[in-house]
Amino acid sequence: MKLTEHFQYGLDAPICLTWELTYACNLACVHCLSSSGRRDPDELSTAECKAVIDELARMQVFYVNIGGGEPTVRSDFWEIVEYAVGHHVGVKFSTNGIKLTPERAAWLAGTDYVDVQISLDGATADVNDEVRGPGSYDTAIAAMRNLHDAGFGEFKISVVMTRHNVDQLDDFKAIADRFGAQLRITRLRPSGRGADTWHELRPTAAQQRRLYDWLVARGESVLTGDSFFHLSAYGEALPGLNLCGAGRVVCLIDPVGDVYACPFAIHEEFLAGNVRSDGGFVHVWRDSELFADLRRPQHGGACTSCGYYDSCQGGCMAAKFFTGLPLDGPDPECVRGFGEQALAGVDGASVPRSEVDHSRTGKQGPVPVSIGMGPPDRACDESPLAGMRAG
């Protein structure tokens, strides 16, 4: 059996685990996946976070992707990072850079098994700050400079692709090169506050093609977190797993310990359990009825008759769910046009919405975090398959 086939039926431990430590954030990004802003008073305590790390260590989870919210605003954030690393669980955390002072950058540069991902959604301040808020571009650039000057190494610059920044791909790459960083681009999903801005911000069909062509021509050193497999229907498959790993090889732990099948699908429909329950995270991952269902053979519906189904696998589950499309239907951004046809028949009043919303009153809540992860060699930045032999 090939490795991809093993992944379809789930593994004993997640390869890529995203953990949102807090909903608190100093920003109010308009496409925030978790509608962050205010801290939830019921978020996991320091002791509970350490207990989760103990479980992950026993499960031999190599790396955890920490986000939020803005994780560094938790007063115990650095303590949690040190505890994870000390227990052989590597950490990659996503941040807007607000706490990455020269002193903290120097500390990070001397810490093993820690990777940093700076969120930036415009190669210029005007494009970035329109989405992430005034001053956020300068904050991110300052954090990059601090990491570079401290000799941190190849940190990541994480970009959510929108119709306003697709044409800046070369500029993003130039910024990454300037700071000795690696560019990571991810897909905009209609999740959280992104549900309200997705139609306005998502790349046009022509831009999707431009993005695909750019990745084929120049994307060899660019990470994607395996989030653009729907574009593979243009022809040549992009590198990566090229299937939905929800509940099979990936999942999300949120600030209050709820475990969701997918980092982009924070909705009770995809809630598998809670780490505070008997058996903890291990029980949720291995025994959840939801995860068991997701690990059974999935039917692609009408998409299986399409000649490109083997490449795109029907696209993203979260993108379909939060636009009101059936999970066995086409991706809303299907490059063959079937998604647009399906969207035309959707009743907007019936589109699911997440009930999780910590946006600040009178504003929108904070940052969207897009994360990827991998074992200590950081192979999983690109794909769970990286560095492993197919059999």
Side-chain angles (χ1 to χ4, degrees), residues 116-135:
V116 183
Q117 188 163 279
I118 308 292
S119 297
L120 187 74
D121 291 329
T124 54
D126 56 337
V127 173
N128 178 84
D129 292 4
E130 186 68 23
V131 171
R132 302 185 63 80

Side-chain angles (χ1 to χ4, degrees), residues 7-8 11 17 34-35 41 48 71 77 79 81 108 124 163 171 174 178 217-218 248 302 322 342 355 359 368 383 391:
F7 291 156
Q8 288 178 342
L11 301 176
L17 171 66
S34 55
S35 298
E48 288 175 316
F77 174 73
E79 179 182 350
V81 170
L108 287 166
T124 54
R163 70 181 54 180
D171 298 324
R178 187 201 327 164
R218 301 204 52 198
R248 300 164 173 173
F322 285 117
E355 295 180 356
S359 301
S383 163

Side-chain angles (χ1 to χ4, degrees), residues 45-321:
S45 67
T46 306
E48 288 175 316
C49 288
K50 290 180 177 179
V52 171
I53 291 168
D54 290 340
E55 285 193 85
L56 301 181
R58 288 192 293 270
M59 295 174 76
Q60 297 184 317
V61 173
F62 294 112
Y63 239 89
V64 60
N65 291 302
I66 292 180
E70 171 52 45
T72 64
V73 302
R74 267 191 69 139
S75 59
D76 58 357
F77 174 73
W78 305 110
E79 179 182 350
I80 291 170
V81 170
E82 284 192 89
Y83 188 85
V85 171
H87 287 74
H88 309 292
V89 177
V91 171
K92 170 182 289 180
F93 67 91
S94 249
T95 176
N96 57 48
I98 189 66
K99 296 286 188 176
L100 292 191
T101 62
E103 294 75 21
R104 184 54 68 180
W107 180 85
L108 287 166
T111 305
D112 291 332
Y113 301 126
V114 176
D115 198 8
V116 183
Q117 188 163 279
I118 308 292
S119 297
L120 187 74
D121 291 329
T124 54
D126 56 337
V127 173
N128 178 84
D129 292 4
E130 186 68 23
V131 171
R132 302 185 63 80
S136 56
Y137 178 87
D138 290 341
T139 297
I141 294 296
M144 294 178 204
R145 184 175 297 110
N146 290 341
L147 288 171
H148 175 265
D149 291 349
F152 177 83
E154 199 176 52
F155 61 90
K156 310 297 185 289
I157 299 175
S158 179
V159 181
V160 178
M161 300 310 304
T162 71
R163 70 181 54 180
H164 303 297
N165 66 21
V166 168
D167 293 331
Q168 296 185 321
L169 280 165
D170 287 336
D171 298 324
F172 282 120
K173 186 65 169 61
I175 292 173
D177 292 344
R178 187 201 327 164
F179 291 109
Q182 188 169 23
L183 179 62
R184 184 178 191 274
I185 62 174
T186 58
R187 183 181 178 185
L188 174 71
R189 264 85 167 194
S191 308
R193 284 197 299 275
D196 296 321
T197 57
W198 182 75
H199 286 284
E200 173 190 346
L201 290 180
R202 68 182 176 121
T204 65
Q207 287 178 323
Q208 296 269 21
R209 180 66 203 224
R210 202 144 63 239
L211 170 59
Y212 170 80
D213 290 340
W214 190 89
L215 284 171
V216 170
R218 301 204 52 198
E220 184 175 338
S221 62
V222 176
L223 306 177
T224 65
D226 204 31
S227 66
F228 294 107
F229 60 90
H230 69 294
L231 299 182
S232 293
Y234 278 126
E236 180 181 342
L238 297 172
L241 186 56
N242 285 325
L243 62 79
C244 175
R248 300 164 173 173
V249 296
V250 304
C251 70
L252 166 80
I253 301 175
D254 83 350
V256 299
D258 283 337
V259 181
Y260 293 90
C262 170
F264 310 108
I266 303 175
H267 187 279
E268 60 181 10
E269 190 86 6
F270 304 103
L271 178 60
N274 190 284
V275 301
R276 286 169 166 153
S277 62
D278 291 342
F281 175 75
V282 175
H283 173 69
V284 177
W285 177 259
R286 294 179 179 168
D287 302 319
S288 155
E289 290 184 17
L290 171 64
F291 286 177
D293 286 342
L294 290 171
R295 291 164 188 168
R296 294 187 181 102
Q298 305 293 309
H299 191 273
C303 283
T304 55
S305 63
C306 174
Y308 297 94
Y309 178 73
D310 287 343
S311 296
C312 78
Q313 295 289 311
C316 173
M317 176 184 76
K320 288 186 273 192
F321 181 77

Side-chain angles (χ1 to χ4, degrees), residues 3-69:
L3 282 173
T4 51
E5 293 171 351
H6 282 292
F7 291 156
Q8 288 178 342
Y9 302 111
L11 301 176
D12 283 342
I15 294 177
C16 296
L17 171 66
T18 295
W19 187 358
E20 295 186 345
L21 278 183
T22 184
Y23 286 123
C25 189
N26 59 303
L27 297 184
C29 301
V30 300
H31 57 355
C32 180
L33 295 172
S34 55
S35 298
S36 297
R38 293 175 289 108
R39 174 183 176 272
D40 191 305
D42 198 34
E43 69 184 23
L44 298 176
S45 67
T46 306
E48 288 175 316
C49 288
K50 290 180 177 179
V52 171
I53 291 168
D54 290 340
E55 285 193 85
L56 301 181
R58 288 192 293 270
M59 295 174 76
Q60 297 184 317
V61 173
F62 294 112
Y63 239 89
V64 60
N65 291 302
I66 292 180

